[in-house]
C-alpha cells in the first residue's frame, strides 16, 4: 500500500497518456503541402499537439525519402507544435511526385508517426530478418571478418550500415537464413551467431574493449540506432583534433539566454544530406527539447540555430555540460562524413558477396571508409567510399583493374578523387581499418569456427 499522500507514478503516467490522447483527438495533426508558396522549393507545414521527440519523427520521415531541407522554422513552445520545411529532391527540384506527397501527408498525419514505438528498439518482432547490432574497437579487416563469419553460418546480409568514428565501429545488420530467406528463429543458432561475432569483436587478444553484440527480431530505424549506439559508447570523448582540418570542422556554440531561460545552440558547418536529422537526433537522445529553431542551407554552407532546454525544464547548467553538448553534436556531424572515391555496386545478391567484394578492394590496396549495403528484389545495391591508405588520390588504373574483376557494368564510379579530399591519414585513422586486410594474418581459429 502506498503511503498516505504519496503519488502512484504509474497512475500519474496513465493520466498523462490519456490527456495526450484526448488533446490529439481534439487537435489531430494537420499537414499542408504547398508547391506555389516558394519558387524553388516545396513548402511543408506540420501542425500538431506537442510531444517530446515529435520534431525528430517529422525530420526522420523527410530524411528517409532523401529530401533536402533547404530551410526550416520550428516552434513548439507550450502544447502546440508547428514546423515549416522548405524541401527539394536530390536534384534541387520541387517535389511533384503525387505518390511521394501523399506518403508524406499520410505518414505525418497518422498516429503511428508520433507513437513511442517508433523511438523504441525491439518493440515488435520481424519475420523478414534478424537484427544484429555490433559495436567495438575498429581494426583492420573487422567488417570482412564479420561478413565471413556470417557467410560461414549461412546468413545472408540483406541490409547493413557500418559507421566508424574515433577508433570505434558500430554496425546494424539485417540478416536472413540462406535456405528459408526469412528471419532466423532457432535459439541455439542465434546463440552461436552471437558467440562467434563476439569472438570477432574481441579479436585475437581476446579482450572485449567495450565490444558488444546484440541479436534480436526488433524493428528499428538503422541510422537512428547507430547514433544511439555510438552516443552510448561515448565516442564523442575520443575526438582527435588532427583528423579533420580546422576549416572543415563545424563551428558550434552554446550560450544561455537568461531572459527567457533558454540555451541557444548555433551550428555553422558544411552542408550535406541528412545533416538536420543527425543534429536533431543527437539533441533528442541527449534529452533536450527544441522549443524554437531556424535552419538555412545555402550553397555548401549550413546554419542551424536551436533554442533548447533539458527535458527537466532547465537550460545548460555548467561549462562541463556545455562542452559535452558541443562534443556530442560534432561527433554526430562527423560520423557520417564520407571521404574518398564513391563506388556503387549493383548485381544479383548472393551469400558471401560482401566478403568477396571487400577482399578485392583489399587486394588492390584500397581502404573503404564507409559503406551501405542494401538488397532489393534480389539485387544487391551497395555504396562504398574508398581511398588509398597513404592519402594519395586513388589511381585510375587501380579502379580499372577492380572494375575488370567485378564487372564494368556492375561497379560504377560516382565521384572524383582529389588530393584535397584525400589528405594524408595517420596509421590510427578512425576509418582506415574498416575493410582492409581480409584474413591476411588471422585464421578461423580465432573466431571459434574450427578447433585449434
Amino acid at each position: 500500500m502506498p503511503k498516505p499522500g504519496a503519488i502512484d507514478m504509474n497512475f500519474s503516467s496513465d493520466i498523462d497518456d490519456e490527456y495526450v490522447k484526448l488533446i490529439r483527438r481534439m487537435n489531430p495533426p494537420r499537414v499542408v503541402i504547398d508547391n506555389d508558396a516558394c519558387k524553388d522549393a516545396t513548402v511543408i507545414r506540420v501542425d500538431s499537439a506537442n510531444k517530446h521527440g515529435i520534431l525528430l519523427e517529422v525530420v526522420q520521415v523527410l530524411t528517409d525519402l532523401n529530401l533536402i531541407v533547404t530551410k526550416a522554422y520550428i516552434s513548439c513552445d507550450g502544447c502546440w507544435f508547428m514546423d515549416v520545411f522548405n524541401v527539394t529532391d536530390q536534384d534541387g527540384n520541387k517535389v511533384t511526385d503525387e505518390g511521394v506527397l501523399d506518403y508524406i501527408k499520410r505518414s505525418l498525419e497518422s498516429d503511428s508517426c508520433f507513437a513511442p514505438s517508433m523511438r523504441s528498439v525491439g518493440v515488435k518482432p520481424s519475420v523478414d530478418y534478424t537484427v544484429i547490432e555490433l559495436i567495438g574497437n575498429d581494426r583492420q579487416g573487422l567488417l570482412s571478418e564479420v561478413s565471413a563469419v556470417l557467410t560461414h553460418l549461412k546468413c545472408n546480409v540483406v541490409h547493413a550500415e557500418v559507421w566508424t568514428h574515433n577508433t570505434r565501429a558500430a554496425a546494424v545488420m539485417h540478416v536472413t537464413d540462406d535456405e528459408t530467406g526469412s528471419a532466423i528463429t532457432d535459439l541455439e543458432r542465434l546463440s552461436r551467431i552471437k558467440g562467434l561475432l563476439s569472438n570477432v569483436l574481441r579479436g585475437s587478444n581476446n579482450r572485449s574493449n567495450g565490444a558488444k553484440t546484440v541479436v534480436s527480431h526488433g524493428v528499428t530505424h538503422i541510422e537512428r540506432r547507430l547514433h544511439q549506439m555510438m552516443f552510448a559508447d561515448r565516442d564523442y570523448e575520443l575526438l582527435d583534433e588532427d583528423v579533420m582540418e580546422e576549416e572543415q570542422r563545424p563551428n558550434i556554440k552554446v550560450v544561455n539566454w537568461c531572459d527567457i531561460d533558454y540555451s541557444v545552440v548555433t551550428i555553422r558547418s558544411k552542408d550535406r544530406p541528412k545533416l538536420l536529422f543527425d543534429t536533431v537526433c543527437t539533441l533528442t537522445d541527449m534529452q533536450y527539447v527544441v522549443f524554437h529553431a531556424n535552419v538555412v542551407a545555402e550553397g555548401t554552407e549550413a546554419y542551424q540555430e536551436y533554442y533548447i532546454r533539458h527535458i527537466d525544464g532547465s537550460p545548460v547548467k555548467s561549462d562541463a555540460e556545455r562542452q559535452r553538448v558541443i562534443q556530442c553534436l560534432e561527433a554526430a556531424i562527423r560520423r557520417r562524413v564520407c571521404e574518398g572515391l564513391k563506388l556503387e555496386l549493383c548485381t544479383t545478391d548472393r551469400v558471401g558477396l560482401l566478403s568477396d567484394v571487400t577482399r578485392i578492394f583489399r587486394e588492390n590496396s584500397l581502404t573503404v571508409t564507409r559503406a551501405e549495403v542494401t538488397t532489393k528484389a534480389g539485387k544487391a545495391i551497395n555504396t562504398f567510399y574508398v581511398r588509398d591508405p597513404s592519402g594519395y588520390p586513388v589511381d585510375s588504373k587501380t579502379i580499372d583493374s577492380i572494375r575488370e574483376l567485378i564487372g564494368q557494368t556492375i561497379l560504377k564510379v560516382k565521384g572524383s578523387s582529389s588530393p584535397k579530399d584525400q589528405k594524408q591519414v595517420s596509421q590510427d585513422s578512425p576509418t582506415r581499418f574498416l575493410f582492409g586486410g581480409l584474413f591476411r594474418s588471422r585464421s578461423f581459429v580465432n573466431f571459434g569456427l574450427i578447433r585449434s
Side-chain angles (χ1 to χ4, degrees):
M1 290 289 293
K3 295 180 179 179
I7 298 176
D8 187 332
M9 296 306 294
N10 290 330
F11 179 72
S12 176
S13 177
D14 291 341
I15 292 178
D16 290 342
D17 288 342
E18 290 302 318
Y19 176 73
V20 170
K21 291 177 182 177
L22 175 62
I23 293 297
R24 286 185 58 77
R25 284 196 297 268
M26 296 173 60
N27 303 281
R30 188 169 72 99
V31 178
V32 176
I33 301 177
D34 191 342
N35 261 320
D36 298 323
C38 179
K39 68 176 183 178
D40 54 6
T42 298
V43 179
I44 301 174
R45 190 178 73 204
V46 183
D47 298 317
S48 174
N50 193 16
K51 183 177 183 179
H52 179 58
I54 188 174
L55 173 60
L56 175 58
E57 304 304 345
V58 173
V59 172
Q60 184 171 296
V61 169
L62 300 178
T63 301
D64 288 346
L65 291 169
N66 292 319
L67 300 180
I68 307 298
V69 179
T70 58
K71 291 183 180 179
Y73 173 78
I74 292 101
S75 179
C76 54
D77 212 344
C79 297
W80 197 252
F81 168 86
M82 183 187 75
D83 278 7
V84 179
F85 299 93
N86 284 18
V87 302
T88 68
D89 62 19
Q90 291 186 305
D91 296 323
N93 302 316
K94 291 185 179 183
V95 184
T96 57
D97 187 303
E98 291 297 330
V100 173
L101 297 177
D102 181 63
Y103 176 82
I104 293 172
K105 192 173 180 66
R106 285 187 291 106
S107 298
L108 297 182
E109 288 185 342
S110 68
D111 287 338
S112 61
C113 177
F114 306 102
S117 61
M118 283 201 65
R119 298 189 297 276
S120 302
V121 178
V123 294
K124 62 179 181 178
S126 170
V127 297
D128 298 325
Y129 52 79
T130 298
V131 180
I132 298 176
E133 296 179 358
L134 305 169
I135 192 159
N137 278 343
D138 188 27
R139 70 171 187 275
Q140 187 174 9
L142 177 59
L143 187 57
S144 294
E145 295 170 10
V146 168
S147 59
V149 168
L150 292 174
T151 300
H152 173 81
L153 296 173
K154 299 187 183 303
C155 300
N156 188 35
V157 180
V158 296
H159 191 91
E161 287 204 34
V162 180
W163 291 359
T164 60
H165 183 236
N166 290 331
T167 74
R168 301 294 286 173
V172 176
M173 314 179 85
H174 294 172
V175 303
T176 60
D177 178 79
D178 180 28
E179 294 182 358
T180 65
S182 58
I184 301 167
T185 57
D186 181 77
L187 296 181
E188 183 177 346
R189 186 180 178 192
L190 290 174
S191 178
R192 177 169 170 76
I193 291 172
K194 182 176 179 179
L196 292 177
L197 291 178
S198 295
N199 289 343
V200 171
L201 289 180
R202 282 194 294 268
S204 58
N205 57 15
N206 210 31
R207 296 178 180 177
S208 63
N209 292 322
K212 184 177 180 182
T213 304
V214 176
V215 179
S216 71
H217 298 292
V219 177
T220 184
H221 188 275
I222 288 186
E223 295 171 335
R224 171 85 190 275
R225 185 61 185 144
L226 284 168
H227 275 303
Q228 291 175 332
M229 291 166 62
M230 301 203 86
F231 172 69
D233 194 55
R234 306 176 77 90
D235 70 320
Y236 54 86
E237 294 182 341
L238 303 172
L239 290 177
D240 185 348
E241 300 296 329
D242 297 329
V243 171
M244 183 176 288
E245 295 178 357
E246 190 62 33
E247 63 269 19
Q248 295 178 312
R249 293 175 61 111
N251 185 336
I252 305 173
K253 295 180 180 178
V254 180
V255 298
N256 283 356
W257 193 345
C258 299
D259 292 344
I260 52 177
D261 216 23
Y262 286 127
S263 291
V264 183
V265 179
T266 57
I267 305 172
R268 295 180 182 274
S269 66
K270 294 290 184 182
D271 190 29
R272 61 164 174 76
K274 303 187 179 183
L275 177 64
L276 179 61
F277 171 83
D278 294 338
T279 54
V280 172
C281 183
T282 299
L283 289 172
T284 303
D285 287 338
M286 293 180 72
Q287 299 295 299
Y288 290 104
V289 179
V290 177
F291 288 87
H292 303 282
N294 185 38
V295 176
V296 179
E298 294 181 347
T300 60
E301 303 295 325
Y303 174 80
Q304 301 176 68
E305 181 180 66
Y306 301 97
Y307 292 74
I308 66 170
R309 292 185 192 137
H310 195 266
I311 197 169
D312 63 8
S314 64
V316 174
K317 299 176 182 178
S318 64
D319 288 338
E321 183 182 356
R322 179 180 296 105
Q323 186 62 31
R324 183 170 179 265
V325 171
I326 293 173
Q327 286 181 332
C328 289
L329 287 171
E330 181 169 346
I333 293 171
R334 293 171 61 171
R335 287 173 194 143
R336 202 194 288 268
V337 171
C338 300
E339 298 179 351
L341 187 67
K342 183 179 179 180
L343 302 177
E344 288 188 356
L345 175 79
C346 183
T347 187
T348 302
D349 186 41
R350 60 176 173 80
V351 176
L353 176 64
L354 183 60
S355 293
D356 292 342
V357 171
T358 56
R359 174 180 54 79
I360 291 174
F361 288 156
R362 189 268 304 169
E363 290 175 348
N364 283 271
S365 301
L366 291 185
T367 296
V368 178
T369 59
R370 189 165 170 263
E372 299 176 5
V373 178
T374 304
T375 303
K376 295 181 180 179
K379 289 286 186 180
I381 305 171
N382 302 341
T383 301
F384 303 96
Y385 290 85
V386 302
R387 67 180 179 189
D388 188 287
S390 64
Y392 293 105
V394 177
D395 184 60
S396 60
K397 293 181 180 180
T398 300
I399 297 298
D400 290 341
S401 175
I402 291 174
R403 294 186 69 197
E404 284 291 334
L405 288 170
I406 297 177
Q408 295 284 348
T409 60
I410 293 175
L411 186 68
K412 297 183 178 180
V413 180
K414 292 293 183 177
S416 62
S417 179
S418 67
K420 184 177 181 180
D421 293 332
Q422 300 189 24
K423 62 186 180 64
Q424 180 71 30
V425 181
S426 69
Q427 292 298 307
D428 294 327
S429 167
T431 58
R432 69 179 299 272
F433 296 138
L434 180 56
F435 284 106
L438 177 63
F439 304 122
R440 176 173 289 177
S441 60
R442 301 174 57 78
S443 73
F444 284 103
V445 175
N446 296 325
F447 310 142
L449 295 177
I450 60 177
R451 294 181 180 179
S452 176

